[in-house]
Amino acid sequence: MTGAGKSTVISTNGLTKRFGSVAAVDHVDLNVREGDIYGFLGANGSGKTTTVRMLLGLVLATSGQIDVLGERMPANARSVLPHVGALVEGPAAYVHLSARRNLSLLDASGPNSKRPDRSARVDDALEQVGLGGVGRKHVRAFSLGMRQRLGLAAALLNGPRLLVLDEPTNGLDPQGIHEIRQLLQELSRRGTTIFLSSHLLSEVEVLCTRIGVLDRGRLVLEDEIAHLRAPTGRTFVRTSDPALAVRVLDGRVAEQRHDELVVSGGDPALINAQLVSAGVRVSELAAERHSLEDIILAHTRAGSDRVGGPT
Amino acid sequence: MIRVELRKLARRPRTWAALVLIDLLPTVVAVLLAVTHIGPRPGQGPAFLSAVLANGALFSVAALAIVLPLFLPVAVAVIAAESIAGEAQIGTLRYLLIRPVSRLRLLVAKQIAVFAFVLVSVILVAGTGFLVGSAILGHDASTPATSIVSVSGSTLSSTQIAIRTVLAVGYVGLSMLGVAALAILLSTMTDSPLSAALGSLAFLVGSSLLLTLDAARAIKPYLPTRYWLSFIDIFRDPILWRNVERGLLLQLVYVAVFLGAAWANFSSKDVTS
């Protein structure tokens, strides 16, 4: 996927938020394009949530510009936000009311929400997140996972063009996570742009098409996952005859750890043929790719909730 | 949005609990009076209580006087303090704002809902007072059942009493708006409804305390609780408007200042709840 011809859904320019003398978000230039499933990664305290809140007009930026769906925020919140669904720092609901009543109150709060199809909209949203059967139950009786689904339903109520989700699978069991992932992929296929803020690399890895990495308030990386995870040009080999393999490959072994070799250059298929014909027993062989974890660790420093002395 | 806020308020069990509690105290007083026939001597105890043994219909006004100093302001402060801080505490504030509901609309809708609560509670207290009073408190044979002696000593017809009771209900309701506005202001400043409620109560207690202090004479006319009990003047003959007017003006100034400050604070606030 390339970015050519796709319009920009979120773009920030020099976005900065200071709390006193601390810059929680420091000159961040985000660029999220239409159709992206954008993984917004960063350690706890790196400024993810503050950035998300600024995108939605909850927190006001100290300096910098934000454009969402082609309009300046927060000045145009009234025309932008009806097309945005969001889940920010966990779901919230009136626990003494039913799930349906919660969504219906939320729907009635928004501008230009038409009353006649409200009930259909609410049912539809509950159905999408798998809460169709418990709409009349009080939220007080909901599990964490069910509340998370209700929060998602609230985000989907508008039929949004952009979904901003902060840790959407928090509190869900593996089945629930899988289900929500499928839902997000389905929404993405239907043209919804998804901005997914998370610290779960695995989740981002399977779902996202692009990532942005925030480290102590700065955007240190923004790229396509496919590009980041492209083969490095080296080949990973696991063999039970490492000494023999090294001899056969003749100086092309870049790294060796016990029975694992990293071979530089060349076509993996060719290397495999070479090894096998020389009688080396190969148990694993693949083009080397960086894991998302390696990439992110290479771009960031120690966890930002570690508070050390001056460095 | 106003309708949404009214619906939210009406669906909160707490709202109804507050209304029941406000109503309970005057009812208990009425029952005790009816059972024992021991009324406070004229000039002592809550206003009008000495008169209700003679005329039960007047108990609606006495009921207002009973809840006015403490019960009513506490209930109003608790409900008003919930307005923004309550939403912030459970996290729904952020979801309302990104719906989007504009901050001004939200604040105005909350204010109207709180004012509606004040109105309903005052009317309910007066209504219950009237019903309970008429039902279980006596009708003194020495005065005709259709008339009543005003605070000034002359006789008022029941029509006059009815009109004046309505005026008193309105006045007491408006007297509560200053507290409500302060609680709403504090509610925009904290994410804890409890702090907002206690803060506004501290203000009232402070005001009541200063009223008893001679040294505070210079600032007394500006204290929010100064003219609360002036609704009694409505039952003088002729009505003594001076303090009533001052009381209304004072409340309006407080409401304007507090709500203006609430708006100034809320409109540019970072919502991090």
Side-chain angles (χ1 to χ4, degrees):
Chain A
M1 257 199 275
T2 62
K6 289 202 286 188
S7 60
T8 302
V9 173
I10 299 174
S11 105
T12 67
N13 188 358
L15 184 63
T16 300
K17 177 67 186 182
R18 298 186 160 278
F19 293 111
S21 63
V22 183
V25 176
D26 194 1
H27 292 91
V28 165
D29 303 329
L30 282 177
N31 178 24
V32 179
R33 298 166 317 201
E34 197 174 354
D36 278 348
I37 304 185
Y38 188 101
F40 193 44
L41 287 161
N44 294 328
S46 58
K48 287 194 309 279
T49 299
T50 304
T51 306
V52 167
R53 284 178 179 269
M54 283 195 283
L55 294 178
L56 299 170
L58 290 171
V59 166
L60 306 176
T62 310
S63 62
Q65 287 173 358
I66 306 170
D67 290 284
V68 177
L69 296 168
E71 290 187 74
R72 186 59 43 89
M73 278 293 284
N76 297 315
R78 241 185 120 61
S79 54
V80 172
L81 289 182
H83 304 289
V84 179
L87 188 61
V88 188
E89 269 191 299
Y94 307 106
V95 294
H96 59 284
L97 301 177
S98 70
R100 278 190 59 92
R101 178 87 55 201
N102 263 287
L103 290 186
S104 143
L105 275 175
L106 197 61
D107 191 76
S109 306
N112 53 50
S113 90
K114 287 168 216 75
R115 184 195 281 268
D117 32 313
R118 176 170 305 149
S119 152
R121 267 198 305 274
V122 168
D123 284 337
D124 191 43
L126 285 172
E127 205 56 59
Q128 278 192 72
V129 298
L131 286 182
V134 289
R136 304 199 177 278
K137 234 168 118 174
H138 279 198
V139 175
R140 196 188 305 282
F142 276 25
S143 68
L144 185 58
M146 287 161 84
R147 290 182 193 209
Q148 193 75 17
R149 285 166 191 255
L150 179 60
L152 265 174
L156 295 175
L157 206 50
N158 285 343
R161 286 168 55 197
L162 168 65
L163 262 181
V164 177
L165 304 175
D166 195 4
E167 315 282 359
T169 53
N170 199 10
L172 293 176
D173 51 23
Q175 254 123 21
I177 292 177
H178 182 69
E179 229 175 278
I180 295 304
R181 192 183 292 151
Q182 281 185 322
L183 171 65
L184 295 183
Q185 277 164 339
E186 172 60 26
L187 288 167
S188 172
R189 266 193 295 279
R190 282 192 261 152
T192 312
T193 306
I194 298 173
F195 184 87
L196 183 83
S197 155
S198 181
H199 60 253
L200 298 176
L201 295 181
S202 57
E203 182 165 305
V204 167
E205 199 155 11
V206 290
L207 207 56
C208 295
T209 56
R210 292 180 78 217
I211 59 166
V213 179
L214 210 57
D215 181 39
R216 302 183 193 202
R218 288 177 169 274
L219 191 68
V220 291
L221 178 67
E222 185 177 67
D223 207 344
E224 308 276 327
I225 288 238
H227 182 233
L228 290 169
R229 299 269 286 115
T232 57
R234 306 199 299 180
T235 306
F236 170 84
V237 179
R238 186 193 302 275
T239 166
S240 34
D241 311 315
L244 181 59
V246 170
R247 246 176 293 135
V248 171
L249 292 169
D250 188 25
R252 280 187 287 156
V253 175
E255 289 167 33
Q256 180 182 2
R257 200 182 322 125
H258 307 298
D259 59 346
E260 296 172 7
L261 310 178
V262 177
V263 186
S264 58
D267 179 6
L270 224 59
I271 291 171
N272 193 22
Q274 220 177 343
L275 288 170
V276 171
S277 59
V280 178
R281 290 170 296 169
V282 175
S283 49
E284 217 180 317
L285 187 142
E288 188 198 45
R289 293 170 194 266
H290 287 307
S291 76
L292 201 52
E293 189 173 347
D294 292 339
I295 297 165
I296 285 159
L297 288 178
H299 281 87
T300 58
R301 290 162 291 173
S304 40
D305 48 6
R306 274 177 69 126
V307 182
T311 47
Chain B
M1 194 61 215
I2 293 165
R3 212 174 315 138
V4 172
E5 286 307 329
L6 288 175
R7 264 162 66 197
K8 274 192 214 164
L9 195 61
R11 291 191 178 278
R12 273 205 80 112
R14 176 174 309 177
T15 310
W16 299 105
L19 288 177
V20 167
L21 283 177
I22 300 172
D23 257 8
L24 201 60
L25 180 65
T27 309
V28 167
V29 171
V31 170
L32 287 177
L33 285 179
V35 171
T36 63
H37 285 276
I38 306 172
R41 267 176 290 159
Q44 283 183 2
F48 295 100
L49 259 196
S50 50
V52 297
L53 280 179
N55 189 323
L58 202 59
F59 192 69
S60 59
V61 185
L64 282 179
I66 290 167
V67 296
L68 182 62
L70 190 63
F71 258 52
L72 195 54
V74 168
V76 169
V78 166
I79 297 289
E82 277 278 323
S83 55
I84 302 292
E87 302 269 6
Q89 194 181 40
I90 59 170
T92 43
L93 180 60
R94 58 178 182 269
Y95 290 110
L96 280 177
L97 294 181
I98 61 178
R99 187 80 273 246
V101 181
S102 87
R103 296 185 181 202
L104 180 61
R105 266 165 64 97
L106 181 62
L107 199 60
V108 169
K110 290 286 187 190
Q111 285 159 13
I112 290 176
V114 168
F115 291 176
F117 171 80
V118 171
L119 198 66
V120 168
S121 53
V122 175
I123 290 176
L124 214 59
V125 166
T128 319
F130 180 79
L131 291 178
V132 172
S134 312
I136 64 175
L137 289 172
H139 299 276
D140 197 329
S142 63
T143 51
T146 51
S147 69
I148 200 164
V149 180
S150 77
V151 178
S152 313
S154 57
T155 307
L156 296 173
S157 71
S158 38
T159 325
Q160 276 175 312
I161 283 291
I163 292 171
R164 289 177 186 213
T165 304
V166 170
L167 285 176
V169 165
Y171 181 79
V172 172
L174 284 166
S175 299
M176 288 301 120
L177 295 193
V179 193
L182 175 63
I184 290 172
L185 166 62
L186 294 179
S187 185
T188 65
M189 296 176 144
T190 167
D191 292 346
S192 151
L194 188 65
S195 318
L198 290 179
S200 32
L201 289 180
F203 184 67
L204 289 184
V205 171
S207 165
S208 309
L209 196 104
L210 287 177
L211 280 178
T212 63
L213 193 71
D214 286 335
R217 184 172 297 145
I219 58 169
K220 273 185 190 173
Y222 310 105
L223 293 173
T225 57
R226 165 65 182 84
Y227 298 106
W228 273 11
L229 288 171
S230 300
F231 80 93
I232 294 165
D233 292 351
I234 293 172
F235 294 90
R236 294 186 202 283
D237 200 29
I239 298 177
L240 191 57
W241 288 109
R242 196 168 129 266
N243 281 350
V244 172
E245 282 165 1
R246 286 185 182 182
L248 290 179
L249 187 66
L250 187 66
Q251 289 301 319
L252 290 180
V253 170
Y254 271 113
V255 168
V257 169
F258 287 148
L259 291 188
W263 165 235
N265 180 48
F266 190 52
S267 63
S268 60
K269 189 192 177 192
D270 283 341
V271 175
T272 54
S273 61

